[in-house]
Coordinates of all heavy atoms in Angstrom, one line a residue:
M690 N 105.9 122.4 104.4 CA 106.1 121.1 103.8 C 107.4 120.6 104.3 O 108.4 121.1 104.0 CB 105.9 121.2 102.3 CG 106.2 119.8 101.7 SD 106.1 119.8 99.9 CE 105.9 121.4 99.3
S691 N 107.4 119.4 105.0 CA 108.7 118.8 105.3 C 108.8 117.4 104.7 O 107.8 116.7 104.5 CB 108.8 118.7 106.9 OG 107.8 117.8 107.4
S692 N 110.0 117.0 104.5 CA 110.2 115.7 103.9 C 111.5 115.1 104.5 O 112.4 115.8 105.0 CB 110.3 115.7 102.4 OG 111.4 116.5 102.0
A693 N 111.5 113.7 104.6 CA 112.6 113.0 105.2 C 112.8 111.7 104.6 O 111.8 111.0 104.3 CB 112.5 112.9 106.7
V694 N 114.0 111.2 104.4 CA 114.3 109.8 104.0 C 114.5 109.0 105.2 O 115.3 109.4 106.1 CB 115.5 109.8 103.0 CG1 115.9 108.4 102.7 CG2 115.2 110.5 101.7
Q695 N 113.9 107.9 105.3 CA 114.0 106.9 106.4 C 114.5 105.6 105.9 O 114.0 105.1 104.8 CB 112.7 106.8 107.2 CG 112.3 108.0 107.9 CD 111.1 107.8 108.8 OE1 110.6 106.7 108.9 NE2 110.6 108.8 109.4
H696 N 115.3 104.9 106.7 CA 115.8 103.6 106.3 C 115.0 102.5 107.0 O 114.8 102.6 108.2 CB 117.3 103.5 106.7 CG 117.9 102.2 106.2 ND1 119.0 101.7 106.9 CD2 117.6 101.4 105.2 CE1 119.4 100.6 106.3 NE2 118.5 100.3 105.3
L697 N 114.5 101.5 106.3 CA 113.8 100.4 106.9 C 114.6 99.2 106.6 O 114.4 98.4 105.6 CB 112.4 100.3 106.2 CG 111.5 101.5 106.3 CD1 110.2 101.3 105.6 CD2 111.2 101.9 107.8
P698 N 115.7 98.9 107.4 CA 116.6 97.8 107.1 C 115.9 96.4 107.0 O 116.3 95.6 106.2 CB 117.6 97.9 108.2 CG 117.1 98.7 109.2 CD 116.0 99.6 108.6
G699 N 114.9 96.2 107.8 CA 114.2 94.9 107.8 C 113.5 94.6 106.5 O 113.1 93.5 106.2
Q700 N 113.2 95.7 105.7 CA 112.5 95.6 104.4 C 113.5 95.8 103.2 O 113.0 95.8 102.1 CB 111.4 96.6 104.3 CG 110.3 96.3 105.4 CD 109.2 97.3 105.3 OE1 108.8 97.8 104.3 NE2 108.7 97.7 106.5
N701 N 114.8 96.1 103.5 CA 115.7 96.5 102.4 C 115.2 97.6 101.6 O 115.1 97.6 100.4 CB 116.1 95.3 101.5 CG 117.0 94.3 102.2 OD1 117.3 94.4 103.4 ND2 117.5 93.3 101.5
R702 N 114.8 98.7 102.3 CA 114.1 99.8 101.6 C 114.4 101.1 102.4 O 114.5 101.1 103.6 CB 112.6 99.5 101.6 CG 111.7 100.6 101.1 CD 110.3 100.2 101.0 NE 110.2 99.3 99.8 CZ 109.1 98.7 99.5 NH1 108.0 98.8 100.2 NH2 109.0 97.9 98.4
Y703 N 114.5 102.1 101.6 CA 114.4 103.5 102.1 C 113.1 104.1 101.6 O 112.6 103.7 100.6 CB 115.6 104.3 101.5 CG 116.9 104.0 102.0 CD1 117.7 103.0 101.4 CD2 117.5 104.7 103.1 CE1 119.0 102.7 101.9 CE2 118.7 104.4 103.6 CZ 119.5 103.4 103.0 OH 120.7 103.1 103.4
I704 N 112.5 104.9 102.5 CA 111.3 105.6 102.1 C 111.4 107.1 102.2 O 112.2 107.6 103.0 CB 110.0 105.1 102.9 CG1 110.2 105.4 104.4 CG2 109.8 103.6 102.7 CD1 109.0 105.2 105.2
L705 N 110.7 107.8 101.4 CA 110.6 109.2 101.5 C 109.2 109.6 102.0 O 108.2 109.2 101.5 CB 110.8 109.9 100.1 CG 110.7 111.4 100.0 CD1 111.8 112.1 100.8 CD2 110.7 111.9 98.5
E706 N 109.2 110.3 103.1 CA 108.0 110.8 103.7 C 107.9 112.3 103.5 O 108.9 113.1 103.6 CB 107.9 110.5 105.2 CG 107.7 109.0 105.5 CD 107.5 108.8 106.9 OE1 107.8 109.6 107.8 OE2 107.0 107.7 107.2
K707 N 106.7 112.8 103.1 CA 106.4 114.2 102.9 C 105.2 114.5 103.8 O 104.2 113.9 103.6 CB 106.1 114.4 101.4 CG 105.8 115.9 101.1 CD 105.6 116.0 99.6 CE 105.1 117.4 99.2 NZ 104.8 117.5 97.8
D708 N 105.4 115.4 104.7 CA 104.4 115.8 105.7 C 103.8 114.5 106.4 O 102.6 114.4 106.5 CB 103.3 116.6 105.0 CG 103.8 117.9 104.5 OD1 104.8 118.5 105.1 OD2 103.3 118.4 103.4
G709 N 104.7 113.6 106.7 CA 104.2 112.4 107.5 C 103.7 111.3 106.6 O 103.2 110.3 107.2
E710 N 103.6 111.5 105.3 CA 103.0 110.4 104.4 C 104.1 109.9 103.5 O 104.8 110.7 102.9 CB 101.9 111.1 103.6 CG 101.1 110.1 102.8 CD 99.9 110.7 102.1 OE1 99.3 111.6 102.7 OE2 99.6 110.3 101.0
Q711 N 104.1 108.6 103.3 CA 105.1 108.0 102.4 C 104.7 108.3 101.0 O 103.6 108.1 100.5 CB 105.1 106.5 102.6 CG 106.2 105.8 101.7 CD 106.3 104.3 101.8 OE1 106.0 103.8 102.9 NE2 106.6 103.6 100.7
V712 N 105.7 108.9 100.3 CA 105.4 109.3 98.9 C 106.4 108.6 97.9 O 106.3 108.8 96.7 CB 105.5 110.8 98.7 CG1 104.4 111.5 99.5 CG2 106.8 111.4 99.1
G713 N 107.5 108.0 98.4 CA 108.4 107.3 97.6 C 109.2 106.3 98.3 O 109.2 106.1 99.5
L714 N 109.9 105.5 97.5 CA 110.7 104.4 98.0 C 111.9 104.1 97.1 O 111.9 104.4 95.9 CB 109.9 103.1 98.3 CG 109.2 102.5 97.0 CD1 110.2 101.5 96.3 CD2 108.0 101.7 97.5
T715 N 112.9 103.5 97.7 CA 114.1 103.0 97.0 C 114.4 101.6 97.6 O 114.6 101.5 98.8 CB 115.3 103.9 97.1 OG1 115.0 105.1 96.4 CG2 116.5 103.2 96.4
D716 N 114.3 100.6 96.8 CA 114.6 99.2 97.3 C 116.1 98.9 97.0 O 116.7 99.4 96.0 CB 113.8 98.2 96.6 CG 112.3 98.2 97.0 OD1 112.1 98.6 98.2 OD2 111.4 97.9 96.2
Y717 N 116.6 98.0 97.8 CA 118.0 97.6 97.6 C 118.2 96.2 98.0 O 117.4 95.6 98.7 CB 119.0 98.5 98.4 CG 118.9 98.4 99.9 CD1 119.6 97.4 100.6 CD2 118.0 99.2 100.6 CE1 119.5 97.3 102.0 CE2 117.9 99.1 102.0 CZ 118.6 98.2 102.7 OH 118.5 98.1 104.1
S718 N 119.4 95.6 97.6 CA 119.8 94.3 98.1 C 121.3 94.4 98.5 O 122.0 95.3 97.9 CB 119.6 93.2 97.0 OG 120.3 93.5 95.8
L719 N 121.7 93.6 99.4 CA 123.1 93.6 99.9 C 123.8 92.4 99.4 O 123.2 91.3 99.4 CB 123.1 93.6 101.4 CG 122.4 94.8 102.1 CD1 122.4 94.7 103.6 CD2 123.2 96.1 101.7
H720 N 125.0 92.6 98.9 CA 125.9 91.5 98.4 C 127.3 91.8 98.9 O 128.0 92.7 98.4 CB 125.9 91.5 96.9 CG 124.5 91.3 96.3 ND1 123.9 90.1 96.2 CD2 123.6 92.2 95.8 CE1 122.7 90.3 95.6 NE2 122.5 91.6 95.4
G721 N 127.7 91.2 100.0 CA 129.0 91.4 100.6 C 129.1 92.9 101.1 O 128.2 93.3 101.9
N722 N 130.1 93.6 100.5 CA 130.2 95.0 100.9 C 129.6 96.0 99.9 O 129.9 97.1 99.9 CB 131.7 95.3 101.1 CG 132.4 95.4 99.7 OD1 132.0 94.7 98.8 ND2 133.5 96.2 99.6
E723 N 128.6 95.4 99.1 CA 127.9 96.2 98.1 C 126.5 96.4 98.5 O 125.8 95.5 99.0 CB 128.0 95.6 96.8 CG 129.4 95.5 96.2 CD 129.5 94.8 94.9 OE1 128.5 94.1 94.5 OE2 130.5 94.9 94.2
I724 N 125.9 97.6 98.2 CA 124.5 97.8 98.3 C 124.0 98.1 96.9 O 124.5 99.1 96.2 CB 124.2 99.0 99.3 CG1 122.6 99.1 99.4 CG2 124.9 100.3 98.9 CD1 122.2 100.0 100.6
H725 N 123.2 97.3 96.4 CA 122.6 97.4 95.0 C 121.3 98.1 95.1 O 120.3 97.6 95.6 CB 122.5 96.0 94.4 CG 123.7 95.3 94.1 ND1 124.1 94.9 92.8 CD2 124.7 94.9 94.9 CE1 125.3 94.3 92.9 NE2 125.7 94.3 94.2
L726 N 121.3 99.3 94.5 CA 120.0 100.1 94.5 C 119.2 99.6 93.3 O 119.6 99.9 92.1 CB 120.3 101.6 94.5 CG 121.2 102.1 95.6 CD1 121.5 103.6 95.5 CD2 120.5 101.8 97.0
T727 N 118.1 98.9 93.5 CA 117.4 98.2 92.5 C 116.2 98.9 91.9 O 115.8 98.6 90.8 CB 117.1 96.8 93.0 OG1 116.2 96.9 94.1 CG2 118.3 96.0 93.3
H728 N 115.5 99.7 92.7 CA 114.3 100.3 92.2 C 113.9 101.6 93.0 O 114.1 101.6 94.2 CB 113.2 99.3 92.5 CG 111.8 99.7 92.1 ND1 111.4 99.9 90.8 CD2 110.7 100.1 92.9 CE1 110.1 100.3 90.8 NE2 109.7 100.5 92.0
T729 N 113.5 102.6 92.3 CA 113.1 103.8 92.9 C 111.7 104.2 92.4 O 111.5 104.0 91.2 CB 114.1 105.0 92.7 OG1 115.3 104.6 93.3 CG2 113.6 106.3 93.3
E730 N 110.8 104.6 93.3 CA 109.4 104.8 92.8 C 108.9 106.0 93.6 O 109.1 106.1 94.8 CB 108.6 103.6 93.1 CG 107.2 103.7 92.7 CD 106.4 102.4 92.9 OE1 107.0 101.3 92.7 OE2 105.3 102.4 93.3
I731 N 108.2 106.9 92.9 CA 107.5 108.1 93.5 C 106.0 108.0 93.2 O 105.7 107.5 92.1 CB 108.1 109.4 93.0 CG1 109.6 109.5 93.4 CG2 107.3 110.6 93.5 CD1 109.9 109.6 94.8
D732 N 105.2 108.3 94.2 CA 103.8 108.4 94.0 C 103.5 109.1 92.6 O 103.9 110.2 92.4 CB 103.1 109.1 95.1 CG 101.6 109.2 95.0 OD1 101.0 109.2 93.9 OD2 100.9 109.3 96.1
P733 N 102.8 108.4 91.7 CA 102.5 109.0 90.4 C 101.9 110.4 90.4 O 102.1 111.2 89.5 CB 101.6 108.0 89.7 CG 101.8 106.7 90.4 CD 102.2 107.1 91.8
Q734 N 101.1 110.7 91.4 CA 100.4 112.0 91.5 C 101.4 113.1 91.9 O 101.1 114.3 91.8 CB 99.3 111.9 92.5 CG 98.2 111.0 92.1 CD 97.1 110.9 93.2 OE1 97.1 111.6 94.2 NE2 96.1 110.0 93.0
L735 N 102.6 112.7 92.4 CA 103.6 113.7 92.8 C 104.8 113.8 92.0 O 105.8 114.4 92.3 CB 103.9 113.4 94.3 CG 102.8 113.4 95.3 CD1 103.3 113.0 96.6 CD2 102.2 114.8 95.4
R736 N 104.8 113.1 90.8 CA 105.9 113.1 89.9 C 106.1 114.5 89.4 O 105.2 115.4 89.4 CB 105.7 112.1 88.8 CG 105.9 110.7 89.4 CD 105.9 109.7 88.3 NE 106.0 108.3 89.0 CZ 105.5 107.3 88.5 NH1 104.9 107.3 87.3 NH2 105.6 106.1 89.1
D737 N 107.3 114.8 88.9 CA 107.7 116.1 88.3 C 107.7 117.2 89.4 O 107.6 118.4 89.1 CB 106.7 116.6 87.2 CG 106.7 115.6 86.1 OD1 107.8 115.0 85.7 OD2 105.6 115.3 85.5
E738 N 107.9 116.8 90.7 CA 108.1 117.8 91.7 C 109.5 117.7 92.3 O 109.8 118.3 93.3 CB 107.1 117.5 92.9 CG 105.6 117.8 92.4 CD 104.7 117.7 93.6 OE1 105.1 117.8 94.8 OE2 103.5 117.6 93.3
G739 N 110.4 116.9 91.7 CA 111.7 116.8 92.2 C 111.9 115.8 93.3 O 113.0 115.7 93.9
L740 N 110.9 115.0 93.6 CA 110.9 114.1 94.7 C 111.9 112.9 94.5 O 112.5 112.4 95.4 CB 109.6 113.6 95.1 CG 108.6 114.7 95.7 CD1 107.2 114.2 95.9 CD2 109.2 115.3 97.0
A741 N 111.9 112.5 93.3 CA 112.8 111.3 93.0 C 114.3 111.7 93.2 O 115.1 111.0 93.8 CB 112.7 110.8 91.5
S742 N 114.7 112.9 92.8 CA 116.0 113.4 93.1 C 116.3 113.6 94.6 O 117.3 113.2 95.1 CB 116.2 114.8 92.4 OG 117.5 115.2 92.6
E743 N 115.3 114.1 95.3 CA 115.4 114.2 96.7 C 115.6 112.9 97.4 O 116.3 112.7 98.3 CB 114.2 115.0 97.2 CG 114.2 115.3 98.7 CD 113.0 116.1 99.2 OE1 112.3 116.7 98.4 OE2 112.8 116.0 100.4
M744 N 114.8 111.9 96.9 CA 114.8 110.5 97.4 C 116.2 110.0 97.2 O 116.8 109.5 98.2 CB 113.8 109.7 96.7 CG 113.9 108.2 97.0 SD 112.7 107.7 98.3 CE 113.8 106.9 99.3
V745 N 116.8 110.0 96.0 CA 118.0 109.4 95.7 C 119.2 110.1 96.5 O 120.0 109.4 97.1 CB 118.3 109.4 94.2 CG1 119.7 109.0 93.9 CG2 117.3 108.4 93.5
Q746 N 119.1 111.4 96.5 CA 120.2 112.1 97.3 C 120.1 111.7 98.8 O 121.2 111.5 99.4 CB 120.0 113.6 97.1 CG 121.1 114.4 97.8 CD 121.1 115.9 97.5 OE1 120.3 116.4 96.8 NE2 122.0 116.6 98.2
G747 N 118.9 111.6 99.3 CA 118.8 111.3 100.7 C 119.3 109.8 101.0 O 120.0 109.6 102.0
V748 N 119.0 108.9 100.1 CA 119.5 107.6 100.2 C 121.0 107.5 100.2 O 121.7 106.9 101.0 CB 118.9 106.7 99.1 CG1 119.6 105.3 99.1 CG2 117.4 106.5 99.4
L749 N 121.6 108.2 99.2 CA 123.0 108.2 99.0 C 123.7 108.9 100.2 O 124.8 108.5 100.7 CB 123.5 108.8 97.7 CG 123.0 108.0 96.5 CD1 123.3 108.8 95.2 CD2 123.7 106.6 96.5
D750 N 123.1 110.0 100.7 CA 123.7 110.6 101.9 C 123.7 109.7 103.1 O 124.7 109.6 103.9 CB 122.9 111.9 102.2 CG 123.2 113.0 101.3 OD1 124.2 113.0 100.5 OD2 122.4 114.0 101.2
S751 N 122.6 108.9 103.3 CA 122.5 108.0 104.4 C 123.6 106.9 104.2 O 124.2 106.5 105.2 CB 121.1 107.4 104.4 OG 121.0 106.4 105.4
I752 N 123.7 106.4 103.0 CA 124.7 105.3 102.8 C 126.1 105.9 103.1 O 126.9 105.2 103.7 CB 124.6 104.8 101.3 CG1 123.3 104.0 101.2 CG2 125.8 103.9 101.0 CD1 123.0 103.7 99.7
R753 N 126.4 107.1 102.6 CA 127.7 107.7 102.8 C 128.0 107.9 104.3 O 129.1 107.6 104.8 CB 127.7 109.1 102.1 CG 129.0 109.8 102.4 CD 129.0 111.2 101.8 NE 129.3 111.2 100.4 CZ 128.9 112.1 99.5 NH1 128.2 113.1 99.8 NH2 129.3 112.0 98.2
T754 N 127.0 108.3 105.1 CA 127.2 108.6 106.5 C 127.2 107.4 107.4 O 128.0 107.3 108.3 CB 126.1 109.6 106.9 OG1 126.2 110.8 106.1 CG2 126.3 110.0 108.4
D755 N 126.3 106.5 107.1 CA 126.0 105.4 108.0 C 126.6 104.0 107.7 O 126.5 103.1 108.5 CB 124.5 105.2 108.2 CG 123.8 106.5 108.6 OD1 124.4 107.3 109.3 OD2 122.6 106.6 108.3
T756 N 127.2 103.9 106.5 CA 127.8 102.6 106.1 C 129.1 102.8 105.4 O 129.5 103.9 105.1 CB 126.8 101.9 105.1 OG1 127.0 102.4 103.8 CG2 125.3 102.0 105.5
A757 N 129.7 101.6 105.1 CA 130.9 101.6 104.3 C 130.6 100.9 102.9 O 131.6 100.5 102.2 CB 132.0 100.9 105.0
Y758 N 129.4 100.7 102.6 CA 129.0 100.0 101.4 C 129.4 100.7 100.1 O 129.4 101.9 100.1 CB 127.5 99.8 101.3 CG 126.9 98.8 102.3 CD1 125.9 99.1 103.1 CD2 127.4 97.5 102.4 CE1 125.3 98.2 104.0 CE2 126.9 96.6 103.3 CZ 125.9 97.0 104.1 OH 125.3 96.1 105.0
R759 N 129.8 99.9 99.1 CA 130.0 100.4 97.8 C 128.7 100.4 97.1 O 128.0 99.4 97.1 CB 131.0 99.6 97.0 CG 131.3 100.1 95.6 CD 132.5 99.4 95.0 NE 132.2 98.1 94.6 CZ 131.6 97.8 93.4 NH1 131.3 98.8 92.5 NH2 131.3 96.6 93.0
V760 N 128.3 101.5 96.5 CA 127.0 101.6 95.8 C 127.1 101.0 94.4 O 128.0 101.3 93.6 CB 126.5 103.1 95.7 CG1 125.3 103.2 94.8 CG2 126.2 103.6 97.1
V761 N 126.1 100.1 94.1 CA 126.0 99.6 92.7 C 124.6 100.0 92.2 O 123.6 99.6 92.8 CB 126.1 98.1 92.7 CG1 125.9 97.5 91.3 CG2 127.5 97.6 93.2
A762 N 124.6 100.9 91.3 CA 123.3 101.4 90.8 C 122.7 100.5 89.7 O 123.4 100.3 88.7 CB 123.5 102.8 90.2
E763 N 121.6 99.9 90.0 CA 120.9 99.1 89.0 C 119.6 99.8 88.6 O 119.2 99.5 87.4 CB 120.6 97.7 89.6 CG 121.8 96.9 89.9 CD 121.5 95.6 90.6 OE1 120.3 95.2 90.8 OE2 122.5 94.9 90.9
C764 N 119.0 100.6 89.4 CA 117.8 101.3 89.0 C 118.2 102.4 88.0 O 119.2 103.2 88.2 CB 117.3 102.0 90.3 SG 116.0 103.3 90.0
P765 N 117.5 102.4 86.8 CA 117.8 103.4 85.8 C 117.9 104.9 86.3 O 118.7 105.6 85.9 CB 116.8 103.2 84.7 CG 116.3 101.8 85.0 CD 116.4 101.5 86.4
Y766 N 117.0 105.2 87.2 CA 116.9 106.6 87.7 C 118.2 106.9 88.5 O 118.8 108.0 88.4 CB 115.7 106.9 88.5 CG 115.6 108.3 88.9 CD1 115.1 109.3 88.0 CD2 116.1 108.8 90.1 CE1 115.2 110.6 88.3 CE2 116.1 110.1 90.4 CZ 115.7 111.1 89.5 OH 115.7 112.4 89.8
V767 N 118.6 105.9 89.3 CA 119.8 106.1 90.1 C 121.0 106.3 89.2 O 121.9 107.1 89.4 CB 120.0 105.0 91.2 CG1 121.3 105.2 91.9 CG2 118.8 105.0 92.2
V768 N 121.1 105.4 88.2 CA 122.2 105.5 87.2 C 122.2 106.9 86.6 O 123.3 107.6 86.6 CB 122.1 104.5 86.1 CG1 123.1 104.7 85.0 CG2 122.2 103.1 86.7
K769 N 121.1 107.4 86.2 CA 121.0 108.8 85.6 C 121.4 109.8 86.6 O 122.2 110.7 86.3 CB 119.6 109.0 85.1 CG 119.3 110.4 84.5 CD 117.8 110.5 84.1 CE 117.5 111.9 83.6 NZ 117.3 112.8 84.7
W770 N 120.9 109.7 87.8 CA 121.2 110.7 88.8 C 122.6 110.8 89.1 O 123.2 111.9 89.2 CB 120.3 110.4 90.1 CG 120.3 111.5 91.0 CD1 119.3 112.5 91.1 CD2 121.2 111.8 92.1 NE1 119.6 113.4 92.1 CE2 120.8 113.0 92.7 CE3 122.4 111.3 92.5 CZ2 121.5 113.6 93.8 CZ3 123.1 111.8 93.6 CH2 122.6 113.0 94.2
L771 N 123.3 109.6 89.3 CA 124.7 109.6 89.6 C 125.5 110.2 88.4 O 126.5 110.9 88.7 CB 125.2 108.2 89.9 CG 124.9 107.7 91.3 CD1 125.1 106.1 91.3 CD2 125.7 108.4 92.3
G772 N 125.1 110.0 87.2 CA 125.7 110.6 86.1 C 125.7 112.1 86.1 O 126.6 112.7 85.5
E773 N 124.7 112.7 86.7 CA 124.6 114.1 86.8 C 125.2 114.7 88.1 O 125.2 115.9 88.2 CB 123.1 114.5 86.7 CG 122.4 114.1 85.4 CD 120.9 114.2 85.4 OE1 120.3 114.5 86.5 OE2 120.3 114.0 84.3
H774 N 125.7 113.9 89.0 CA 126.2 114.3 90.3 C 127.5 113.7 90.6 O 127.6 112.7 91.4 CB 125.1 114.0 91.4 CG 123.9 114.8 91.2 ND1 122.8 114.3 90.5 CD2 123.5 116.0 91.7 CE1 121.8 115.2 90.5 NE2 122.2 116.3 91.2
P775 N 128.6 114.2 90.0 CA 129.9 113.5 90.2 C 130.4 113.6 91.6 O 131.2 112.8 92.0 CB 130.8 114.3 89.3 CG 130.1 115.6 88.9 CD 128.6 115.3 89.1
E776 N 129.8 114.5 92.4 CA 130.2 114.5 93.8 C 129.9 113.3 94.6 O 130.3 113.1 95.8 CB 129.7 115.8 94.5 CG 128.2 115.8 94.6 CD 127.4 116.4 93.4 OE1 127.9 116.4 92.3 OE2 126.2 116.8 93.6
Y777 N 129.1 112.4 94.0 CA 128.7 111.1 94.7 C 129.4 109.9 94.1 O 129.2 108.8 94.6 CB 127.2 110.9 94.6 CG 126.4 111.8 95.6 CD1 126.1 113.1 95.2 CD2 126.1 111.4 96.8 CE1 125.4 113.9 96.1 CE2 125.4 112.2 97.7 CZ 125.1 113.5 97.4 OH 124.4 114.3 98.3
H778 N 130.3 110.1 93.1 CA 130.9 109.0 92.4 C 131.8 108.2 93.4 O 132.0 107.0 93.1 CB 131.7 109.5 91.2 CG 130.8 109.9 90.1 ND1 131.3 110.3 88.9 CD2 129.5 109.9 89.9 CE1 130.3 110.6 88.0 NE2 129.2 110.4 88.7
E779 N 132.3 108.8 94.4 CA 133.2 108.0 95.3 C 132.5 106.9 96.0 O 133.1 105.9 96.4 CB 133.9 109.0 96.4 CG 133.2 109.0 97.7 CD 132.0 110.0 97.8 OE1 131.8 110.7 96.9 OE2 131.4 109.9 98.9
L780 N 131.1 107.0 96.1 CA 130.4 105.9 96.7 C 130.4 104.6 95.8 O 130.3 103.5 96.3 CB 128.9 106.3 96.9 CG 128.7 107.4 97.9 CD1 127.2 107.8 97.9 CD2 129.1 106.9 99.3
E781 N 130.6 104.8 94.5 CA 130.7 103.7 93.6 C 132.2 103.1 93.6 O 132.4 102.0 93.1 CB 130.4 104.1 92.2 CG 128.9 104.6 92.1 CD 128.6 105.1 90.7 OE1 129.2 106.2 90.3 OE2 127.9 104.4 90.0
Q782 N 133.1 103.8 94.2 CA 134.5 103.4 94.2 C 134.9 102.8 95.6 O 136.1 102.4 95.7 CB 135.4 104.6 93.9 CG 135.0 105.3 92.6 CD 135.1 104.4 91.4 OE1 135.9 103.6 91.2 NE2 134.1 104.6 90.5
R783 N 134.1 102.8 96.5 CA 134.5 102.3 97.9 C 135.0 100.9 97.8 O 134.5 100.1 97.0 CB 133.3 102.4 98.8 CG 132.9 103.8 99.3 CD 131.7 103.7 100.2 NE 131.6 104.9 101.0 CZ 130.7 105.1 101.9 NH1 129.8 104.1 102.1 NH2 130.6 106.2 102.6
G784 N 135.9 100.6 98.7 CA 136.5 99.3 98.7 C 135.7 98.1 99.1 O 135.9 97.0 99.0

């Protein structure tokens, strides 16, 4: 079983693919130097498998590596996830 997070900039969305099939998404909006993570969703049949956590971590890793955006968490799940992962807090402090 393989999974990967992919960025779809034309749709302001990241998707999570598992074995070649889309199983999750995170939507965002851009405001200046900020990326507002607004919504995360996982296929209801695949919930409780840790995919939401995998999705958010992949999104944040992509933002960290590929951009200079400051993360603004608006999605309740992203807010919760960041609260449990202090190693990602610097993304919320970027200039």
Side-chain angles (χ1 to χ4, degrees):
M690 173 181 8
S691 67
S692 60
V694 172
Q695 292 185 3
H696 186 203
L697 305 176
Q700 298 178 35
N701 285 8
R702 175 174 285 176
Y703 288 87
I704 61 169
L705 177 64
E706 289 188 342
K707 182 177 171 183
D708 297 328
E710 185 174 326
Q711 182 180 329
V712 296
L714 61 86
T715 296
D716 289 329
Y717 66 87
S718 60
L719 298 175
H720 303 276
N722 71 332
E723 298 178 341
I724 184 166
H725 292 241
L726 302 179
T727 58
H728 177 73
T729 299
E730 184 177 321
I731 297 295
D732 181 329
Q734 297 176 5
L735 300 173
R736 290 190 181 147
D737 300 322
E738 292 185 21
L740 294 174
S742 180
E743 184 177 339
M744 171 95 235
V745 170
Q746 183 173 358
V748 168
L749 294 174
D750 286 344
S751 178
I752 292 168
R753 175 186 277 157
T754 302
D755 301 334
T756 79
Y758 290 128
R759 181 171 76 85
V760 170
V761 178
E763 294 179 2
C764 167
Y766 185 83
V767 176
V768 170
K769 176 182 175 282
W770 194 93
L771 282 167
E773 297 170 353
H774 295 87
E776 66 272 23
Y777 285 86
H778 287 184
E779 98 276 352
L780 293 172
E781 298 175 289
Q782 307 302 320
R783 287 178 161 185

